[in-house]
Amino acid sequence: MKDLPTQPNQTRVQQSFRRGLDTYHSAATHQADIANRLAECLATVAPNALTNVFEFGVGTGHLTQAIQDRFTVNNLRLNDLVPECAAFAPSTATFLDGPVQQVPLPNDLDLICSASTVQWLDDLPTTISQLSNHLRTGGWLALSSFGTAQFHELRSLGSNAAAPSYCDAEDWRAILPKTMKIKHLSQARRVEWFPNAIALLRHLRDTGVNGAASQKWSAKDLKAFETSYRDRFGTPQGLPLSYDPVWVIAQKA
Ligand SMILES: C[S@@+](CC[C@H](N)C(=O)[O-])C[C@H]1O[C@@H](n2cnc3c(N)ncnc32)[C@H](O)[C@@H]1O
């Protein structure tokens, strides 16, 4: 694939996920469910034997495990921006670190998959189109991402923690290249509740998802954040944080 320049926020995203790596696997329960559902949906449309598979943004392996539980894979290539993710990869897989936009790939892939990662890519249509070029005819693209309601509470309070490419399910019709035929598209919003702002911010840090936030929190900032969040969104259940996952499965014509 042709190299694209490194994105300006990539270093921050990498640092943020690296910092959360020890806590990610157990803290990222939504991402674990989302990865499982992606593999489950794929299993309803794709054959269960796949020769060449590439997964990017593997993190600690939620999707890798979900795919291995449901499919027989001969050659598994894994990628993440954070080189330390190699420690979570199965020994039979090849791990390639760095931005997915720069990973060398063959042109006969049966499946390209990724969970909870593509929202971090600045130029989503270009990267998806370039990746699709590496699928064989009949090959599969299986992605989960997040829609425009993802963390909307944070954004409406002025946080810059948002990833650059939140897209709703229907947006994927325009993002995918014409050669990719959609076989599954869904979106299902859910809310997690926190007793206070510290617990909510800790959740973001532990799951590494505040990669675009540059803010350092003083005690005064924290108090102001808690007050605004409670005034605007607080309920007897606590402080809500919206997740807005999207699942996309397409086949190359
Ligand atoms: C939210 S985690 C998802 C991990 C795993 N797929 C899961 O479902 O739990 C996002 C991962 O994408 C990686 N990532 C972000 N931008 C990337 C890029 N441009 N290329 C490769 N990996 C990237 C991060 O380092 C992080 O491990």
Side-chain angles (χ1 to χ4, degrees):
M1 189 175 7
K2 188 172 170 299
D3 281 5
L4 297 175
T6 303
Q7 299 171 187
N9 70 354
Q10 223 156 55
T11 309
R12 200 179 296 150
V13 171
Q14 189 187 42
Q15 282 166 355
S16 180
F17 279 107
R18 180 182 279 135
R19 203 168 43 230
L21 208 54
D22 290 342
T23 45
Y24 181 85
H25 203 70
S26 53
T29 52
H30 292 286
Q31 288 87 341
D33 284 355
I34 291 165
N36 263 312
R37 173 159 172 183
L38 182 64
E40 239 167 56
C41 291
L42 182 66
T44 64
V45 289
N48 68 1
L50 298 164
T51 307
N52 293 314
V53 172
F54 173 59
E55 182 194 342
F56 63 95
V58 290
T60 57
H62 284 133
L63 180 62
T64 317
Q65 188 59 54
I67 292 285
Q68 288 197 312
D69 289 346
R70 292 169 181 84
F71 296 89
T72 306
V73 176
N74 287 12
N75 303 312
L76 180 60
R77 287 176 176 80
L78 303 176
N79 153 264
D80 201 282
L81 194 55
V82 176
E84 289 86 341
C85 290
F88 302 92
S91 58
T92 48
T94 304
F95 185 86
L96 305 146
D97 67 87
V100 62
Q101 298 91 331
Q102 295 173 10
V103 170
L105 291 172
N107 288 328
D108 61 348
L109 294 171
D110 297 277
L111 169 66
I112 297 178
C113 60
S114 184
S116 304
T117 296
V118 293
Q119 72 279 1
W120 292 110
L121 307 179
D122 278 335
D123 186 353
L124 197 48
T126 301
T127 304
I128 296 299
S129 165
Q130 291 190 342
L131 284 169
S132 303
N133 289 340
H134 294 272
L135 285 169
R136 66 166 176 79
T137 302
W140 297 87
L141 183 65
L143 304 171
S144 78
S145 186
F146 294 102
T148 51
Q150 177 77 0
F151 297 162
H152 74 87
E153 299 88 351
L154 292 173
R155 280 180 287 134
S156 67
L157 293 175
S159 157
N160 61 353
S165 296
Y166 292 140
C167 302
D168 292 323
E170 287 303 315
D171 299 334
W172 279 90
R173 296 189 191 282
I175 294 168
L176 291 172
K178 293 277 173 283
T179 50
M180 297 305 301
K181 303 298 166 207
I182 293 176
K183 300 293 173 180
H184 174 97
L185 202 52
S186 60
Q187 182 161 4
R189 200 158 143 185
R190 51 179 82 177
V191 170
E192 179 156 0
W193 298 92
F194 296 89
N196 52 48
I198 290 192
L200 190 149
L201 292 169
R202 189 177 300 127
H203 169 78
L204 292 176
R205 191 200 54 206
D206 287 351
T207 51
V209 293
N210 55 344
S214 52
Q215 198 174 346
K216 293 257 186 293
W217 295 86
S218 67
K220 196 169 152 229
D221 291 336
L222 188 60
K223 192 159 187 299
F225 175 72
E226 168 108 31
T227 304
S228 325
Y229 211 112
R230 227 171 254 293
D231 286 352
R232 187 90 182 265
F233 302 107
T235 75
Q237 248 182 298
L239 303 181
L241 180 67
S242 295
Y243 277 81
D244 190 21
V246 172
W247 295 267
V248 189
I249 295 177
Q251 187 175 26
K252 189 163 177 176

